[in-house]
Amino acid sequence: MARAGFRSPWSLVPWAAALLLVLSVPRALALPEICIQCPGSVQNLSEVALYCKRTPELMLQGHCCLNGKGTILGLDLQNCSLKDPGPNFAQAHNAVIIDLQANPLKGDLANTFRGFTQLQTLILPQGVSCPGGINAWDIVTFYISNQTCQGQRNLCNSTGDPETCPENGSCVPVGPGLLQCVCADGFHGYKCMRQGSFSLLMFFGILGSTTLSISLLLWGTQRRKAKTS
Ligand SMILES: *[C@@H]1O[C@H](CO)[C@@H](O)[C@H](O)[C@H]1NC(C)=O
Ligand SMILES: *[C@@H]1O[C@H](CO)[C@@H](O)[C@H](O)[C@H]1NC(C)=O
Ligand SMILES: *[C@@H]1O[C@H](CO)[C@@H](O)[C@H](O)[C@H]1NC(C)=O
Ligand SMILES: *[C@@H]1O[C@H](CO)[C@@H](O)[C@H](O)[C@H]1NC(C)=O
Ligand SMILES: *[C@@H]1O[C@H](CO)[C@@H](O)[C@H](O)[C@H]1NC(C)=O
């Protein structure tokens, strides 16, 4: 009677395993938020849909064109009522083509595209300038209802200015119109003029400031105790 309801905890193991499996399968297939946050679907004739169809190993899912590893290579967010691309936009930083036309976008997009080094085609609403300006792109075309920015230029090459980065640093493109100077191995600091191991300094720096803040905290609490007593 009472025994019929009794189960050893070990008999739950297969159930727990099954539950874990069920929970993990949809998670593995889950699309990045940026692909599903806009309702509706991508139109057949959109540039992103056509790009996705041209390349056999790519798949259109939600508003994204993904490769087999789930990397976003195309993103179509036309007509999504976006005032800004939003916090999930960086999930598409490997994209080759992005369509943002027919959105009420506001403000400057330069920092939105930081890290988007692969981007070759960007379609924007009319009146929103290409990030980085006209010089950051090979071809900028204005249409009645949109504009396209094509061919991201590598500013490290095109400026032809050896002064862009200091002597012991090198120039790396980090997105449309954006570049960064990276210090050579063994150099760090302002204009890469300091030599030596940076990580050791950093370690002592953090350790030092932690010790200081703990001492300040203790000093403060002890002082308060002294006052109240
Ligand atoms: C889009 O393509 C799908 C399949 O390729 C088709 O079933 C659908 O009718 C097309 N829609 C339009 C609006 O052309
Ligand atoms: C945008 O979407 C609305 C529905 O959400 C539709 O009525 C309208 O035609 C679309 N506009 C464009 C330019 O695709
Ligand atoms: C941009 O708008 C024009 C009409 O002004 C349209 O013909 C063209 O297809 C649009 N470009 C893209 C990439 O959707
Ligand atoms: C820029 O320079 C790098 C190496 O200096 C080279 O690999 C790359 O192809 C160049 N890119 C362009 C667009 O010229
Ligand atoms: C760059 O590094 C070299 C040694 O590799 C050094 O002689 C030179 O002074 C450094 N330049 C600067 C600006 O720090």
Side-chain angles (χ1 to χ4, degrees), residues 19-42:
L19 188 68
L20 270 180
L21 194 71
V22 167
L23 286 177
S24 64
V25 166
R27 192 159 303 163
L29 298 176
L31 284 174
E33 289 88 339
I34 193 72
C35 307
I36 49 178
Q37 68 189 20
C38 174
S41 56
V42 173

Side-chain angles (χ1 to χ4, degrees), residues 44-125:
N44 285 7
L45 292 179
S46 93
E47 289 294 322
V48 174
L50 294 177
Y51 163 79
C52 220
K53 224 176 263 175
R54 271 201 305 271
T55 322
E57 58 268 24
L58 302 183
M59 252 192 327
L60 198 59
Q61 292 196 315
H63 286 261
C64 292
C65 177
L66 302 153
N67 69 9
K69 291 178 188 157
T71 307
I72 301 171
L73 295 186
L75 176 64
D76 188 329
L77 294 179
Q78 350 185 351
N79 200 10
C80 288
S81 311
L82 296 174
K83 289 199 182 72
D84 61 76
N88 295 324
F89 192 67
Q91 291 169 349
H93 70 276
N94 286 313
V96 175
I97 176 167
I98 295 180
D99 194 335
L100 291 173
Q101 67 180 305
N103 285 297
L105 289 178
K106 297 217 161 62
D108 184 19
L109 295 177
N111 275 311
T112 304
F113 289 93
R114 181 172 290 278
F116 286 60
T117 52
Q118 311 298 312
L119 192 59
Q120 292 304 323
T121 304
L122 175 62
I123 305 155
L124 290 171

Side-chain angles (χ1 to χ4, degrees), residues 169-180:
S170 56
C171 182
V172 179
V174 287
L178 302 169
L179 50 80
Q180 205 167 41

Side-chain angles (χ1 to χ4, degrees), residues 47 99 101 123 143-146 148:
E47 289 294 322
D99 194 335
Q101 67 180 305
I123 305 155
Y143 296 96
I144 297 166
S145 55
N146 59 54
T148 60

